[in-house]
Amino acid sequence: MMNILHLDSAITGEASVSRKLTADIVAKLTSQNPTATVTYRDLAKGVPAIDGIWLEATRGMGDDNSAAHAAAVATSDAYLSEVKNADVLVIGMPIYNFAMGALLKSWIDQIARAGVSFRYTEAGAEGLLTGKRAIIAYSAGGTPLGSEIDHASAYMRFILGFFGITDVEFVAADGLIFDRDGALARADAQVAELAA
């Protein structure tokens, strides 16, 4: 049975193109895998930024066993559990100011934990979240996917690979301010061609 983790991060609500794309991608996957389960998380509702308390709590530093430490670990563990249980991650990545939004970056920071999502060996870093597929719904007004002004997609491919998720593909609706209908049509065609 396929387990899908569906993440949205756009702050634009129902007007969001990336939200439309993630919903379409999940619909395509579930139509071809009727027994699939879907776990949904809307990162726009808030993702705590990592801080000193998070660092102490997740690395077992200091002697503080406070409620703040416990809450920091519980939040991070919840995000990690969702990723670990997923076979496919469908991630909405709208571009703001040529990069991913802060909420999506905070989610990445929450799951970037040595010994949990990656580890260092004598041979170098090793990702621990292997055997997963990621489909990124990329939406941008004027930042073409893979262009020199796109500071999000290469990082996303790298960091997921660092975690061991190397099967990464993008569905892109870019150039929306120039040709919205065309961008949406191209993205829809990419969704239609996705292998389930």
Side-chain angles (χ1 to χ4, degrees), residues 59-160:
R59 295 195 180 172
M61 299 164 58
D63 297 324
D64 191 344
N65 292 316
S66 69
H69 281 76
V73 170
T75 297
S76 181
D77 284 350
Y79 295 136
L80 275 162
S81 178
E82 291 171 350
V83 176
K84 287 178 179 179
N85 292 334
D87 302 301
V88 182
L89 286 71
V90 178
I91 303 172
M93 188 171 74
I95 302 304
Y96 304 129
N97 304 313
F98 312 104
M100 71 177 60
L103 294 167
L104 182 55
K105 178 59 168 64
S106 289
W107 175 81
I108 290 169
D109 290 342
Q110 285 282 350
I111 67 170
R113 286 178 46 194
V116 184
S117 55
F118 68 93
R119 67 181 173 193
Y120 290 109
T121 70
E122 291 181 3
E126 176 186 0
L128 300 176
L129 302 176
T130 58
K132 302 177 188 307
R133 174 187 184 194
I135 306 170
I136 314 301
Y138 178 102
S139 64
T143 305
L145 175 69
S147 69
E148 64 181 11
I149 61 172
D150 164 17
H151 299 286
S153 63
Y155 172 76
M156 180 62 90
R157 187 181 296 279
F158 168 80
I159 196 66
L160 290 175

